[in-house]
Amino acid sequence: MAAMRLADDTRGRVPFALLGVLLLVSSATFSGALSGQSLVTDQRVDVSMDRATAQVDATVRSAVRDAARDAAANPVTKPANTTVGRVLSANNTFHDYLRLRIALETKSRLESISAGRNGVRAGASLPNVSNEPSLQALLARVSIESRENGTLLVATVENISVEATREGRVVASDPVTSTVSVRTPILAIHEKTETFERRLDANALDGGTLDATVTTALWTSAWARGWGQYSGLPIENVVSNEHAALATNAGVLLTEQQTFGTTDRDARGAMGRAAVQAGARAMLSRSGIPVAPEMANALPDPNQAEAPSPTVPANRTISVSAGTAADAAFVSLLDGNGGLSIADLSEDAYRADVVVVTDVITVADTAGTSSSLGPEWELVETHTESESSVTTLPTHLPTGTDESFVADAGSRLVSETTTTTRTWRMGNETLTTQQHSNTTHRVDIAVVVEPRTLPGPARPINPVFESGGALRSENLGEAKAESDDIVSTHGGFDGLARDALESDVALERSVSATPPTDIEPWIRADLYALHQRVKNRTVTVPAQKIAAGEVNPAGKLAASIRADRSELVAAPDTYDGVADRARIAARAAYIDRLLSALDNRANQTARATNATESTAQDAGIESLSAAVEGARDARSTLESAPNNDVQKVSSEIQYIPDADPMYLSLSGLDGSTMPAVGTDATYHPLVARNTNLFTLPYGDATDTVLSPIFGSSRRVPLRVAASALLAADSTLAETGPNETLQTRRDNLEIALTRAMAPTREAARETLKSHTDLTLTERRAALTDGLGRWPNRAHRALAIANGSAARAIAIEVAGEGTTEADILELRLTNAFREARQTPGATVPQRLTNRTVQTTRTMRQDVLAEAATNVVMNATEDAVSNKLNETLEKRLGKSFKRVPAGMPVAPVPGYWYATVNVWDVELKGEFAQFRVHARGDTESLTYARDGSAVDLDWDSDGESERVGHGERIDFETRVPIVVAVPPTGIGVGDIDGNADERSEGWAGGPGCEIPSDCRIV
């Protein structure tokens, strides 16, 4: 069958015209069902809807861009308690605020969309809002997303209604969701500012760059200046608020560098100028704070005059020696104070007990049997006879005598036969019976010499009963003679053996021999050599560990000596005679006394440390050890963090911080100079309080710490009063007469003279007891010895530091003699004991009043010198010139006034001087701007505390949304510094123990709150 072409095949076909009619009718019917209009398609509606929809994205994009710019210029970070403020979440306020801005701006701009054709108009809109739920619903339509490190803002607005109307009736409506991408760094700039604020306010361990910087800078400065003060540099204020302000601004710049990649250029220059004015140009460099090259240019070269003395060790360690504890132990053993003396030990070494010791062992025991008689027999008489024989056996020592000194010994076998005769009677008849028993005993006998117990290990003595050994003494020959007498007077060992069977009581006699005449000088010389060796025993500990109370120097020293006790006592395996045992006993007794003294000091140190810790806690400091650990953590944080540890968003974008004020100063600023502050206000961008806990002469905090040791008598030792008197004398000599200071120093001198009386009496008694001088000679020695210091204050210091003891000893025994050395130790010990009495102290009130007046005069001179220097020198020369002037005019008195808290304060000796500072800082920027410049739209984000109002419901009245909080922060740095003993110690000696900046009471910000922020 031939194939048919499709064109020729008409089977089952629907005519094309009919198909067209069906399609047309169906379309018109469907369209009419949707619109309620006619079934005829209106192309005007479609065109209008398409044109309106096409404008939505552009409108949303424009709205997002403007909303971002407005949100940056007037950010809200704290919502208000209003209808519009309550729709913003507390935890994500700015993001919600930006969404709200986008929603309202989009709603407003959509109203301008209009597209139409031939009577059909199309537009776009979002629902009107009139209350909080409707506003919340509007906000829910908007979502935002940050991309490309915050430089691209993707915003989505859902359910935008696009409607077409004709003759006032809606003929078409479509919901449209618009998602647009806008090149704006709004989210990046906000997040960076939030990161910046967090780093300002967080502690070092939580990423707080400011805290780490301030802590590191102030600790480094305090330790450098504190040790410089200790070594004699003219430093009155170890930790000052000016240093705290400089460190704070350095921390701000470093935080800017790490967060934004750059710093405020104006602030860099301001900080450099402030560093010069504060006289602390080396502080940041010495702290090792990492700074960007552009920051480094703002810091001038370190001021060499500020550097500590080259004799101060860089690693800040303190060496603690046995020192005066060894001296006191030696003197007490010489004189028997609180225990045995060398003479007592020597005598006891030649005393012993002679004791007869026996062991009785029954070898054999044979008892005979008695005759058995009936009950009618009566025993009328019993007679016993014994016969014994003694046989010598090889000597065997009794039990327990192996380590004793046996003068003589013997062993015997004692055989004893006993016959018992009994007489019996029954009526007129008499009968006699006998019973025989044989007993054999072994008796071991030793005559033991037991020397008196002495300190030191038990060792054999050779020789012990014969003459010889050290000093060729008789040793315990008297004990051997006593032993021989006991044996001979008891019938020899045969008699002693028989006696041992009759009685359990041991024979004991005490003997005492006369020590050699030269034994005491010999032992004393050996002991003095040991004393000199032990006196120089030291342990070196980190100064920060002492400051933190993490180490007890006395306890550590005691542990070191205790571990070497056997080596220091140096007992031989066998004593070279009794004199050698006495020598070792003296060494052991000396070490024991030294350890006891160090243990007591360790307990005093622990008590003082606990009291210091309590005082610090009362001041709000968690603990001293936590403070030290915090400083270590802060330095570690700075050393481990790069200069800019925030990922850069783009090499083409720069985030430039711009702070107002550019330098956070402690002085109040005129509000008219800052746009964000009212013209009538005084603005305090930074406030500080710096409290020095331990000021000397003793104040309340020091009294609290010392009361467990000295009681609460509110008196000061000779050293402190003498230093205060010298400071007053120097000030009067260098500044001219002053009636108030002169009167107070005279009263202090009278009290100091009285306080030295007990020490003079102690010296007189020492010379009387330990020299052969006559009364006249003793008086002359004291007069000549103390006469080397005609000034009473210097004489009191000489008594306190040991110089007076040395001078008197030389007057008596001559230079370079052992006798002078030993007498010096006795005098030093006597002075120390005398200074522990209340009569050898000075009233605190007299001392403090003298020091306060001295400080006032010094401050007057300081102000005068500063004025003269500023008037006659360039800015760069001010600091050096001022130091030169002060050193010239007040150089001596700078080094007189003591400060600090002595650790383990034994009168005349302490291990270290510690002081504590509590630095509190609060800061606020009146306005903090960040400018974004680069390949995106330029944007400025500003936080100045301004309130933000919006007309969210289009009623013509704006309502408070919230405000953009100012960038503020708080940080607190506890500082503890420890320096070696002696010297003036460490502390602020300018008379201002509680240093507060002028705005501290009100905190950072404005003195007039109503003018503080733009509202």
Side-chain angles (χ1 to χ4, degrees):
M1 181 177 180
M4 182 179 291
R5 294 185 305 114
L6 178 62
D8 296 332
D9 188 2
T10 61
R11 293 173 298 175
R13 287 190 177 184
V14 178
F16 181 79
L18 179 60
L19 181 61
V21 171
L22 290 174
L23 290 174
L24 181 60
V25 171
S26 298
S27 174
T29 302
F30 180 72
S31 176
L34 291 177
S35 62
Q37 303 296 322
S38 68
L39 298 178
V40 180
T41 301
D42 191 343
Q43 294 182 350
R44 294 173 297 171
V45 173
D46 293 337
V47 171
S48 298
M49 290 286 287
D50 289 344
R51 289 177 178 176
T53 301
Q55 296 179 51
V56 167
D57 283 350
T59 301
V60 171
R61 182 176 290 105
S62 175
V64 169
R65 181 176 290 107
D66 288 349
R69 185 182 299 109
D70 292 339
N74 297 285
V76 171
T77 58
K78 187 175 181 60
N81 186 22
T82 60
T83 299
V84 65
R86 285 191 293 270
V87 303
L88 307 181
S89 65
N91 296 328
N92 211 15
T93 303
F94 182 77
H95 282 68
D96 289 351
Y97 169 66
L98 177 58
R99 290 169 53 216
L100 178 65
R101 279 276 190 183
I102 291 173
L104 295 176
E105 189 68 28
T106 299
K107 180 179 181 304
S108 175
R109 288 175 180 265
L110 288 176
E111 296 175 357
S112 64
I113 293 179
S114 178
R117 184 178 179 183
N118 298 329
V120 177
R121 304 301 299 175
S125 66
L126 288 172
N128 290 326
V129 289
S130 59
N131 52 36
E132 188 172 331
S134 61
L135 184 59
Q136 188 69 56
L138 176 65
L139 183 62
R141 293 171 180 255
V142 179
S143 61
I144 57 177
E145 181 182 354
S146 174
R147 293 182 184 176
E148 298 184 16
N149 295 319
T151 62
L152 183 66
L153 176 63
V154 178
T156 299
V157 183
E158 300 177 348
N159 294 325
I160 299 174
S161 178
V162 178
E163 294 182 340
T165 61
R166 182 176 54 211
E167 297 179 356
R169 292 182 300 168
V170 176
V171 296
S173 177
D174 283 335
V176 174
T177 294
S178 176
T179 298
V180 297
S181 298
V182 178
R183 282 286 174 186
T184 176
I186 177 62
L187 291 181
I189 206 169
H190 171 72
E191 290 302 323
K192 282 181 173 293
T193 305
E194 290 286 288
T195 299
F196 173 70
E197 185 173 27
R198 181 186 62 79
R199 283 177 167 168
L200 290 181
D201 215 29
N203 62 49
L205 284 180
D206 293 332
T209 303
L210 176 67
D211 180 62
T213 305
V214 173
T215 300
T216 301
L218 289 185
W219 273 74
T220 304
S221 174
W223 279 77
R225 291 173 65 81
W227 280 63
Q229 183 190 63
Y230 160 76
S231 64
L233 290 180
I235 295 173
E236 286 200 323
N237 210 1
V238 175
V239 178
S240 71
N241 281 345
E242 285 74 16
H243 291 119
L246 182 63
T248 299
N249 282 274
V252 169
L253 288 181
L254 184 57
T255 306
E256 289 179 354
Q257 178 68 30
Q258 290 182 340
T259 307
F260 303 109
T262 187
T263 59
D264 187 334
R265 181 179 59 185
D266 294 334
R268 293 197 301 269
M271 193 182 74
R273 293 188 295 272
V276 174
Q277 294 170 1
R281 292 184 283 181
M283 180 176 70
L284 301 181
S285 300
R286 188 185 294 122
S287 302
I289 295 175
V291 294
E294 57 183 4
M295 281 181 62
N297 294 333
L299 295 177
D301 293 333
N303 181 359
Q304 296 302 319
E306 188 190 336
S309 167
T311 61
V312 178
N315 57 356
R316 302 289 189 266
T317 59
I318 295 177
S319 295
V320 179
S321 71
T324 57
D327 293 343
F330 180 71
V331 172
S332 69
L333 189 58
L334 284 184
D335 301 337
N337 298 327
L340 296 174
S341 65
I342 290 178
D344 297 332
L345 292 173
S346 300
E347 292 177 0
D348 283 351
Y350 284 86
R351 290 172 178 165
D353 294 324
V354 181
V355 181
V356 176
V357 180
T358 61
D359 276 348
V360 178
I361 302 172
T362 301
V363 177
D365 187 359
T366 304
T369 59
S370 60
S371 301
S372 177
L373 300 176
E376 65 274 13
W377 289 93
E378 178 187 2
L379 179 63
V380 296
E381 185 179 0
T382 300
H383 177 69
T384 300
E385 292 182 355
S386 297
E387 292 182 0
S388 63
S389 62
V390 179
T391 305
T392 302
L393 297 176
T395 301
H396 183 275
L397 294 177
T399 304
T401 59
D402 293 342
E403 296 183 0
S404 301
F405 298 100
V406 178
D408 206 350
S411 295
R412 297 292 187 266
L413 188 65
V414 180
S415 298
E416 186 176 30
T417 301
T418 303
T419 301
T420 304
T421 303
R422 296 180 177 86
T423 302
W424 307 84
R425 179 182 297 166
M426 184 178 64
N428 294 326
E429 186 176 356
T430 301
L431 180 64
T432 301
T433 60
Q434 285 188 335
Q435 180 182 358
H436 302 279
S437 62
N438 296 304
T439 304
T440 303
H441 301 276
R442 178 189 177 94
V443 182
D444 297 322
I445 308 164
V447 184
V448 176
V449 176
E450 297 179 350
R452 293 289 174 85
T453 301
L454 295 178
R459 295 284 193 273
I461 301 175
N462 186 30
V464 61
F465 299 125
E466 297 82 18
S467 299
L471 303 183
R472 307 293 298 173
S473 73
E474 296 297 327
N475 296 314
L476 296 179
E478 290 286 339
K480 182 62 172 71
E482 192 68 23
S483 169
D484 294 343
D485 182 70
I486 290 174
V487 173
S488 64
T489 57
H490 287 78
F493 283 104
D494 290 354
L496 289 173
R498 289 189 176 96
D499 291 343
L501 297 179
E502 296 177 359
S503 173
D504 293 333
V505 179
L507 296 173
E508 182 174 348
R509 298 181 186 177
S510 295
V511 296
S512 178
T514 301
T517 56
D518 54 350
I519 189 170
E520 288 188 41
W522 178 66
I523 291 177
R524 186 173 58 203
D526 177 73
L527 192 62
Y528 184 73
L530 175 63
H531 159 259
Q532 290 297 100
R533 176 186 174 189
V534 173
K535 179 178 181 178
N536 294 324
R537 172 68 71 97
T538 61
V539 293
T540 300
V541 294
Q544 280 198 1
K545 286 187 174 292
I546 291 180
E550 296 175 347
V551 64
N552 189 314
K556 192 174 181 66
L557 189 59
S560 170
I561 293 175
R562 190 170 275 114
D564 294 340
R565 185 180 187 279
S566 296
E567 187 267 333
L568 293 170
V569 172
D573 294 336
T574 299
Y575 291 125
D576 187 19
V578 174
D580 195 31
R581 179 173 180 252
R583 179 182 66 86
I584 296 301
R587 294 172 72 93
Y590 171 71
I591 296 298
D592 289 343
R593 292 192 182 209
L594 172 58
L595 290 173
S596 177
L598 290 175
D599 288 341
N600 288 335
R601 290 190 177 183
N603 292 334
Q604 287 182 334
T605 300
R607 289 195 297 270
T609 298
N610 291 337
T612 304
E613 190 76 23
S614 296
T615 302
Q617 290 175 356
D618 291 343
I621 297 173
E622 178 184 356
S623 71
L624 300 183
S625 59
V628 172
E629 188 63 31
R632 296 172 185 151
D633 292 340
R635 182 172 290 278
S636 176
T637 297
L638 287 184
E639 290 175 349
S640 61
N643 287 345
N644 181 12
D645 60 359
V646 176
Q647 182 181 7
K648 289 187 177 181
V649 297
S650 170
S651 59
E652 302 299 327
I653 299 176
Q654 287 185 320
Y655 293 90
I656 305 169
D658 181 10
D660 188 13
M662 55 188 160
Y663 182 86
L664 299 175
S665 66
L666 292 172
S667 58
L669 304 178
D670 188 349
S672 62
T673 63
M674 290 172 286
V677 179
T679 57
D680 295 333
T682 298
Y683 190 77
H684 296 282
L686 184 67
V687 295
R689 181 182 183 183
N690 166 20
T691 308
N692 186 196
L693 264 61
F694 302 111
T695 57
L696 283 180
Y698 297 160
D700 292 339
T702 313
D703 289 337
T704 300
V705 174
L706 295 183
S707 60
I709 295 110
F710 291 118
S712 56
S713 59
R714 291 191 175 274
R715 300 179 72 85
V716 302
L718 290 179
R719 177 185 64 87
V720 175
S723 297
L725 183 59
L726 287 175
D729 288 342
S730 297
T731 302
L732 287 170
E734 294 157 2
T735 63
N738 179 279
E739 183 178 352
T740 301
L741 181 57
Q742 186 68 50
T743 300
R744 291 182 173 180
R745 68 82 52 203
D746 291 344
N747 292 335
L748 180 60
E749 183 180 42
I750 293 171
L752 184 64
T753 303
R754 292 172 181 167
M756 286 191 289
T759 61
R760 291 182 64 93
E761 180 61 28
R764 283 193 289 267
E765 287 298 319
T766 300
L767 294 182
K768 180 179 178 180
S769 300
H770 299 288
T771 69
D772 296 329
L773 299 180
T774 65
L775 176 60
T776 301
E777 291 170 335
R778 293 197 297 270
R779 288 177 176 173
L782 280 176
T783 299
D784 293 342
L786 295 176
R788 299 186 184 185
W789 298 276
N791 180 287
R792 287 184 176 88
H794 284 110
R795 190 179 308 155
L797 288 178
I799 291 173
N801 63 29
S803 301
R806 182 64 183 169
I808 296 170
I810 291 175
E811 288 291 332
V812 173
E815 181 79 44
T817 64
T818 302
E819 289 76 10
D821 293 339
I822 294 176
L823 181 57
E824 176 189 352
L825 294 178
R826 282 194 165 106
L827 287 166
T828 299
N829 193 62
F831 282 150
R832 184 183 305 110
E833 291 179 352
R835 292 201 307 276
Q836 295 184 47
T837 63
T841 59
V842 178
Q844 182 187 108
R845 180 171 175 272
L846 287 177
T847 310
N848 284 351
R849 293 183 68 187
T850 304
V851 169
Q852 288 167 358
T853 308
T854 301
R855 286 172 172 169
T856 299
M857 291 189 62
R858 287 152 57 88
Q859 290 301 311
D860 292 342
V861 172
L862 176 65
E864 178 188 351
T867 301
N868 292 336
V869 168
V870 171
M871 293 293 292
N872 297 287
T874 63
E875 181 178 349
D876 290 339
V878 167
S879 181
N880 289 336
K881 186 67 176 178
L882 183 57
N883 281 337
E884 291 176 6
T885 303
L886 293 177
E887 179 66 21
K888 182 178 180 180
R889 295 193 61 180
L890 296 175
K892 292 182 180 179
S893 56
F894 260 115
K895 305 170 186 178
R896 298 299 190 194
V897 180
M901 166 64 210
V903 177
V906 180
Y909 181 77
W910 67 101
Y911 294 117
T913 304
V914 171
N915 218 323
V916 181
W917 288 262
D918 182 21
V919 181
E920 298 178 79
L921 294 159
K922 300 177 183 179
E924 180 185 87
F925 290 98
Q927 185 178 67
F928 190 85
R929 297 176 297 274
V930 181
H931 308 291
R933 301 289 185 266
D935 58 3
T936 66
E937 177 189 18
S938 295
L939 191 69
T940 295
Y941 177 93
R943 295 266 291 273
D944 59 11
S946 297
V948 178
D949 297 335
L950 289 176
D951 181 9
W952 58 274
D953 55 359
S954 301
D955 64 353
E957 295 183 4
S958 296
E959 186 176 352
R960 181 65 46 84
V961 182
H963 66 273
E965 299 164 291
R966 282 178 168 145
I967 302 297
D968 60 8
F969 58 86
E970 292 184 23
T971 189
R972 186 172 189 173
V973 180
I975 304 169
V976 54
V977 176
V979 299
T982 70
I984 68 167
V986 61
D988 294 342
I989 59 175
D990 60 354
N992 190 6
D994 190 347
E995 183 182 355
R996 307 184 190 195
S997 65
E998 61 185 64
W1000 172 258
C1006 293
E1007 289 183 355
I1008 308 174
S1010 62
D1011 291 335
C1012 250
R1013 293 177 172 87
I1014 300 174
V1015 295

